[in-house]
Amino acid sequence: MASRLHRIAPSEITPPEVFFNRRRFLAGALVAGTGAALGRAGAAVVPAAAGAPLAYSLDSADSVGALVHAPGQDETPNSWEQITHYNNYYEFGTGKSDPAEYAAALQTRPWSLTVSGEAEVTGQFPLEKFLSPYALEERIYRFRCVEAWSMVIPWVGFPLARLLKQFKPTSRAKYVAFETLYRPSQMPGQRVPILQWPYREGLRIDEAMNRLAFMVVGLYGRVLPNQSGAPLRLIVPWKYGFKSIKSIVRIVFTERQPQTTWSLAAPNEYGFYANVNPNVPHPRWSQATERRIGAPLFHERQATLMFNGYADEVAYLYNGMNLHEYF
Ligand SMILES: Nc1nc2c(c(=O)[nH]1)N[C@H]1C(S)=C(S)[C@@H](COP(=O)(O)O)O[C@H]1N2
Ligand SMILES: [Mo]
């Protein structure tokens, strides 16, 4: 049974306007990526301004929407205001309100994705090529930052696996790496060496193919605002937030584990795996509990769950691994 969140979210936030060609996904033409060949001129998806309505499938959302439920957790989604004004996006500054203040100047169109490495299909592609074949769906996921705060967020997007399969990764592709745009003229944080730019992240290929790994283009049924990682960002809900890289321009399939920004910056504080784990403290603070943004003061802190509550879906990926060693 989908939680009450599902009764709230679609009815209240589905906008009447149709952004994608709704008939296409209602007809099931987009299911399982059939016919989603690269290079085909799909129905043009004219990207709209941040906050403009997006159409998305409510049916496919229900199956995964139920996954958000974890007994004892408050699963009320955070507000648009909270989700878009309390951000980490160091390209726009290190303060939580810097992204909301400075990211609007980022130009997200035209946007292209460059794909390289261990895959049969490589090259540079306009973002629209990947958006047009997909039915978008809503996923209400818990989000847990390594800094021990959390939210519940209704994203709109499509499974990462559906995107990656189009490039036909070879058997040597053991990992997939992602890079954020490097454009200091519009990203003031990149003019300062706070991190090694561009921001880089990565996943093991089987993690990337898990059905929870999600490519996000929207929020609350609307086009993703820049501070949230427009026009395309990753969400890996069972990992700490820094894995969920924003404004992606490059995907590289690799044989070796790729270097990632935060583990380059502080390898003993931010590992490659970064699975949410209440039993492994950060060297400078406990990860046993988290502060839910916007919760009443008395209820602010709550227990952090193993794999952020998604163990049933993802624990198999780490069988036999020492999760204290591979943090
Ligand atoms: N390119 C880029 N991606 C990024 C970050 C960043 O600074 N730059 N911050 C990460 C961190 S630490 C977190 S917690 C999340 C925050 O996502 P949100 O602002 O949408 O909540 O984005 C992640 N992705
Ligand atoms: Mo974070």
Side-chain angles (χ1 to χ4, degrees):
M1 171 71 199
S3 69
R4 73 202 144 79
L5 294 179
H6 261 275
R7 296 205 304 273
I8 298 167
S11 59
E12 291 182 10
I13 70 183
T14 305
E17 295 89 340
V18 175
F19 179 59
F20 267 63
N21 182 337
R22 195 168 192 114
R23 278 170 309 161
R24 284 192 71 201
F25 65 74
L26 288 179
L30 304 175
V31 170
T34 38
L38 283 175
R40 177 186 299 185
V45 178
V46 181
L54 270 173
Y56 54 91
S57 159
L58 303 181
D59 296 342
S60 49
D62 279 330
S63 56
V64 177
L67 292 170
V68 81
H69 186 68
Q73 284 255 327
D74 180 358
E75 294 165 347
T76 309
N78 283 89
S79 67
W80 171 277
E81 180 69 18
Q82 288 162 344
I83 297 165
T84 63
H85 286 76
Y86 189 91
N87 298 99
N88 274 334
Y89 198 168
Y90 280 20
E91 284 84 342
F92 296 102
T94 54
K96 293 288 184 282
S97 56
D98 288 339
E101 192 167 345
Y102 300 113
L106 175 67
Q107 226 170 302
T108 59
R109 292 178 290 281
W111 195 268
S112 59
L113 266 189
T114 302
V115 180
S116 62
E118 301 290 350
E120 288 174 33
V121 181
T122 57
Q124 187 173 351
F125 310 96
L127 180 61
E128 289 75 10
K129 280 216 160 103
F130 310 108
L131 298 184
S132 51
Y134 302 122
L136 298 180
E137 53 183 284
E138 180 176 70
R139 300 260 183 110
I140 302 168
Y141 279 154
R142 286 180 295 279
F143 181 91
R144 172 57 158 84
C145 174
V146 74
E147 298 162 337
W149 53 266
S150 66
M151 297 200 206
V152 174
I153 306 183
W155 304 111
V156 180
F158 52 90
L160 173 62
R162 252 200 253 162
L163 176 68
L164 298 185
K165 282 174 185 166
Q166 290 188 74
F167 307 121
K168 300 188 172 33
T170 71
S171 59
R172 285 188 301 276
K174 301 286 193 290
Y175 296 88
V176 57
F178 304 90
E179 267 181 36
T180 294
L181 176 72
Y182 179 70
R183 191 184 287 161
S185 62
Q186 292 176 2
M187 296 175 133
Q190 288 179 336
R191 296 174 216 152
V192 189
I194 337 160
L195 292 173
Q196 288 187 37
W197 309 113
Y199 195 101
R200 284 185 279 163
E201 258 308 333
L203 296 170
R204 224 172 50 199
I205 198 81
D206 57 343
E207 297 179 307
M209 295 298 180
N210 182 278
R211 69 171 179 159
L212 294 193
F214 204 50
M215 278 310 223
V216 166
V217 298
L219 169 65
Y220 265 116
R222 313 224 147 229
V223 173
L224 198 64
N226 288 355
Q227 62 265 39
S228 302
L232 182 72
R233 67 93 55 94
L234 177 66
I235 285 292
V236 195
W238 70 95
K239 292 177 180 284
Y240 291 121
F242 65 85
K243 299 295 291 182
S244 293
I245 182 172
K246 296 177 169 181
S247 305
I248 296 166
V249 291
R250 184 182 291 274
I251 295 178
V252 189
F253 293 94
T254 64
E255 205 166 357
R256 299 272 176 85
Q257 183 176 303
Q259 296 214 296
T260 57
T261 294
W262 277 105
S263 50
L264 281 168
N268 55 346
E269 299 194 6
Y270 310 104
F272 176 81
Y273 281 92
N275 291 313
V276 174
N277 188 341
N279 308 315
V280 177
H282 183 279
R284 292 182 281 132
W285 58 84
S286 165
Q287 294 291 25
T289 64
E290 63 200 48
R291 179 171 63 92
R292 177 60 52 81
I293 300 300
L297 278 180
F298 269 126
H299 304 281
E300 241 188 1
R301 295 207 82 84
Q302 57 188 63
T304 286
L305 304 176
M306 189 66 202
F307 297 113
N308 204 21
Y310 299 107
D312 288 353
E313 291 284 323
V314 302
Y316 74 93
L317 292 164
Y318 311 103
N319 280 341
M321 283 176 68
N322 177 346
L323 296 179
H324 284 257
E325 190 181 334
Y326 292 96
F327 59 93

